[in-house]
Amino acid sequence: MKVLESNFMQGFMRMADDGWQQGWHERNGGNLTYRMKPEEVEAVREDLSFDGEWKDIGTTVPGMAGEFFAATGSGKYFRNVMTAPEDSCAICEIDDKGEKYRVCWGLVNGGRPTSEFPSHLMNHEVKKAASGGKHRVIYHAHPANTIALTFVLPLTDEAFTRELWEMATECPVVFPSGIGVVPWMVPGGRDIAVATSELMKQYDVAIWAHHGMFCSGEDFDLTFGLMHTVEKSAEILVKVYSMTGGTKRQTIQPDEFRHLAVDFGVTLPEKFLFEK
């Protein structure tokens, strides 16, 4: 099977285009990776090349040894993924030590996978272990309302989780473990990768202050839906702040969250159910 005919690549391309259509990927902003299933690798193996140069990842991810990833390319535009996928995307293989990668498909005009590849791989390693192998998608985008809130809310997990939970009843059901927050750091390096992977041990969402959002999920729909829900909640909060100057007449209370958790069968950490 050709890579572009496969269901996983069709889903990868659609998700990239959905993010572009939402306005989350100005210029070459954002990145997406998908940890392929063994049967997906086998289905497209004849379309892959295994004579590419092995290159340093920039970190060590032994838990990803031997895995294959679909990834957007560094400097590539999400708006071009649907029309020029072989230029905009890659399939990469990780070596048997989790130290190097090689491009097996794509990036036909040269280049390398996203500059956030080390961050993605470190977080894939964490989420693979935490989810029993179920999580396969890591997605980073620049949703405007979420970024705007990093200038006005305290940069704490508690502040962001509680405020965004309050904006829509579905939010604590969609992201019951909460949201982690990374203070501003230079993107693309090991430090932000380490900080994010620490948060992703307990959350599926991390917000990078003044930069964007980082989400993990089992498949394309769940991961995109997670980011979409967080950004919709942020948009509501921005509107509430704009209308009231930050004062709410009424909102969802801690005991109401507890009742919601019982009815929907989710566990909400008590650290987010504080009295204001």
Side-chain angles (χ1 to χ4, degrees):
M1 178 186 293
K2 296 291 186 181
V3 168
L4 293 179
E5 297 172 355
S6 65
N7 287 335
F8 79 85
M9 185 54 73
Q10 287 293 312
F12 184 95
M13 292 163 57
R14 177 189 172 189
M15 183 168 171
D17 190 61
D18 284 346
W20 161 251
Q21 297 295 336
Q22 289 294 324
W24 298 344
H25 298 283
E26 75 294 334
R27 201 170 180 271
N28 63 317
N31 28 73
L32 172 64
T33 57
Y34 170 70
R35 184 170 61 85
M36 295 168 60
K37 299 175 182 178
E39 60 268 27
E40 292 169 335
V41 177
E42 291 307 311
V44 300
R45 184 172 288 276
E46 292 185 359
D47 208 22
L48 305 181
S49 171
F50 297 96
D51 54 6
E53 177 187 356
W54 288 104
K55 298 181 180 180
D56 289 332
I57 293 170
T59 188
T60 301
V61 282
M64 297 292 96
E67 297 272 14
F68 286 76
F69 290 86
T72 50
S74 179
K76 304 298 183 179
Y77 290 35
F78 267 55
R79 72 187 299 261
N80 294 332
V81 167
M82 289 296 281
T83 57
E86 291 176 282
D87 171 64
S88 305
C89 308
I91 290 178
C92 298
E93 180 186 11
I94 309 302
D95 73 356
D96 59 3
K97 294 182 179 179
E99 296 176 351
K100 297 178 183 294
Y101 75 91
R102 63 181 173 188
V103 175
C104 299
W105 177 91
L107 296 177
V108 294
N109 294 310
R112 57 190 177 91
T114 169
S115 60
E116 300 284 1
F117 204 41
S119 292
H120 279 245
L121 293 179
M122 290 179 69
N123 282 278
H124 273 291
E125 186 174 46
V126 166
K127 299 309 289 186
K128 179 183 178 182
S131 69
K134 293 181 179 179
H135 276 224
R136 292 187 173 275
V137 181
I138 296 286
Y139 182 35
H140 168 55
H142 301 162
N145 292 287
T146 300
I147 296 170
L149 290 178
T150 67
F151 292 90
V152 296
L153 289 181
L155 297 177
T156 66
D157 305 355
E158 290 79 7
F160 268 82
T161 297
R162 180 61 176 275
E163 290 297 326
L164 294 178
W165 274 2
E166 288 184 13
M167 291 304 101
T169 300
E170 68 172 316
C171 288
V173 178
V174 175
F175 48 99
S177 61
I179 292 174
V181 180
V182 179
W184 187 88
M185 303 176 75
V186 176
R190 178 173 172 78
D191 289 346
I192 195 169
V194 171
T196 306
S197 62
E198 281 300 310
L199 289 175
M200 296 298 265
K201 291 177 181 178
Q202 54 183 314
Y203 306 120
D204 293 336
V205 183
I207 291 173
W208 290 351
H210 323 318
H211 182 164
M213 198 187 326
F214 205 81
C215 289
S216 173
E218 295 182 19
D219 58 33
F220 298 119
D221 285 345
L222 288 171
T223 312
F224 186 85
L226 175 58
M227 185 172 293
H228 202 182
T229 303
V230 175
E231 173 61 3
K232 172 69 74 67
S233 182
E235 180 182 0
I236 296 169
L237 184 56
V238 167
K239 290 178 177 179
V240 169
Y241 274 21
S242 299
M243 291 186 291
T244 68
T247 302
K248 303 169 192 168
R249 175 172 288 182
Q250 58 269 324
T251 189
I252 306 172
Q253 299 299 322
D255 276 345
E256 294 171 326
F257 281 123
R258 295 183 181 101
H259 294 318
L260 182 74
V262 171
D263 286 354
F264 280 85
V266 296
T267 300
L268 303 181
E270 281 293 320
K271 68 178 180 178
F272 301 129
L273 301 181
F274 49 86
E275 296 290 339
K276 291 184 177 180

